[in-house]
Amino acid sequence: MSQKSIVLIVSIFVLIVAGMFIYANLKKAEIAETSATPNEETVAVDVPYDDITRIDAKHYIIDGVHTIVGEISMPTPCDLLEAEAVVMESYPEQVSVNFSVINTAEVCAQMTTEQRFKVSFSASPEAVITAKFMGRAVTLNLIPAGANEKPEDFELFLKG
């Protein structure tokens, strides 16, 4: 082999090795950058009451007035449940029942307590009803009331 061939082969080998080191260094810097600023998808956000994903309720329709009554298990007796209905103008009406929790206690016993709610609104019998709990969508399982049942006599005995 001639001296030119040896110098050319050694030069190509040195360039390949240098390229590998530069590539490894760039990848290392990229990995360090992505771990320093966590991706929004991988960040675990602590959502209060995240275990509440479904709300069971009895649904009464009397003289065009819908009444929804039920109860939700809350982690402490200090958690007070509020519910309000928002009726959007459309036909059939779209109704969003918004649930929120008020807890002003600094210290409270950790004891599961059932909190009852009652929401009434005027809408057509075909109204589409959805629910949000603390701003996030939850499943609303509406159980039709019997012919002789009234919201005042509500007792919830659900299995499920």
Side-chain angles (χ1 to χ4, degrees):
M1 274 177 113
S2 72
Q3 189 175 2
K4 283 185 174 182
S5 298
I6 293 173
V7 170
L8 182 64
I9 291 172
V10 170
S11 297
I12 291 173
F13 181 72
V14 169
L15 286 173
I16 291 173
V17 170
M20 289 172 47
F21 278 109
I22 292 171
Y23 179 77
N25 192 23
L26 289 173
K27 281 295 182 185
K28 183 179 177 183
E30 182 181 325
I31 291 171
E33 182 180 312
T34 58
S35 66
T37 57
N39 191 349
E40 291 178 16
E41 296 173 14
T42 59
V43 175
V45 178
D46 185 27
V47 177
Y49 312 102
D50 60 346
D51 57 328
I52 298 174
T53 57
R54 173 182 161 139
I55 298 173
D56 295 321
K58 205 115 193 220
H59 183 205
Y60 303 87
I61 304 175
I62 301 171
D63 297 329
V65 175
H66 294 253
T67 303
I68 298 173
V69 293
E71 58 187 23
I72 300 175
S73 294
M74 303 305 287
T76 71
C78 300
D79 294 328
L80 302 176
L81 184 65
E82 284 191 340
E84 70 170 340
V86 178
V87 181
M88 287 139 225
E89 294 182 24
S90 62
Y91 190 82
E93 296 89 348
Q94 294 181 10
V95 181
S96 178
V97 181
N98 300 320
F99 295 92
S100 58
V101 177
I102 298 173
N103 186 341
T104 56
E106 291 182 22
V107 178
C108 194
Q110 293 294 315
M111 182 175 69
T112 302
T113 306
E114 300 297 322
Q115 292 286 332
R116 290 191 172 194
F117 63 88
K118 180 179 178 181
V119 180
S120 296
F121 56 91
S122 295
S124 66
E126 297 85 22
V128 177
I129 304 169
T130 59
K132 288 186 178 183
F133 188 86
M134 300 295 287
R136 61 183 167 77
V138 294
T139 303
L140 182 61
N141 180 32
L142 293 177
I143 302 164
N148 296 330
E149 291 182 289
K150 294 190 182 216
E152 296 79 27
D153 304 328
F154 170 73
E155 287 293 327
L156 186 62
F157 297 105
L158 298 174
K159 302 222 179 206

mmCIF file of all heavy atoms in Angstrom, residues 55-56 94 144:
data_model
loop_
_atom_site.group_PDB
_atom_site.id
_atom_site.type_symbol
_atom_site.label_atom_id
_atom_site.label_comp_id
_atom_site.label_asym_id
_atom_site.label_seq_id
_atom_site.Cartn_x
_atom_site.Cartn_y
_atom_site.Cartn_z
ATOM 1 N N ILE A 55 -71.214 9.481 39.049
ATOM 2 C CA ILE A 55 -72.198 9.939 40.027
ATOM 3 C C ILE A 55 -73.522 9.274 39.692
ATOM 4 O O ILE A 55 -74.030 9.406 38.579
ATOM 5 C CB ILE A 55 -72.335 11.477 39.998
ATOM 6 C CG1 ILE A 55 -70.997 12.120 40.387
ATOM 7 C CG2 ILE A 55 -73.460 11.938 40.908
ATOM 8 C CD1 ILE A 55 -70.956 13.612 40.236
ATOM 9 N N ASP A 56 -74.064 8.536 40.659
ATOM 10 C CA ASP A 56 -75.371 7.902 40.506
ATOM 11 C C ASP A 56 -76.420 8.809 41.140
ATOM 12 O O ASP A 56 -76.216 9.332 42.238
ATOM 13 C CB ASP A 56 -75.393 6.540 41.211
ATOM 14 C CG ASP A 56 -74.425 5.555 40.568
ATOM 15 O OD1 ASP A 56 -74.325 5.551 39.333
ATOM 16 O OD2 ASP A 56 -73.778 4.788 41.305
ATOM 17 N N GLN A 94 -79.362 21.303 26.469
ATOM 18 C CA GLN A 94 -78.179 20.645 27.013
ATOM 19 C C GLN A 94 -77.977 21.204 28.402
ATOM 20 O O GLN A 94 -77.847 22.409 28.583
ATOM 21 C CB GLN A 94 -76.966 20.893 26.139
ATOM 22 C CG GLN A 94 -77.098 20.255 24.766
ATOM 23 C CD GLN A 94 -75.868 20.483 23.923
ATOM 24 O OE1 GLN A 94 -74.845 20.947 24.402
ATOM 25 N NE2 GLN A 94 -75.985 20.138 22.660
ATOM 26 N N PRO A 144 -84.193 6.550 36.394
ATOM 27 C CA PRO A 144 -85.535 7.134 36.334
ATOM 28 C C PRO A 144 -86.340 6.810 37.593
ATOM 29 O O PRO A 144 -86.308 5.683 38.098
ATOM 30 C CB PRO A 144 -86.168 6.486 35.104
ATOM 31 C CG PRO A 144 -85.058 5.839 34.359
ATOM 32 C CD PRO A 144 -83.955 5.581 35.330
#
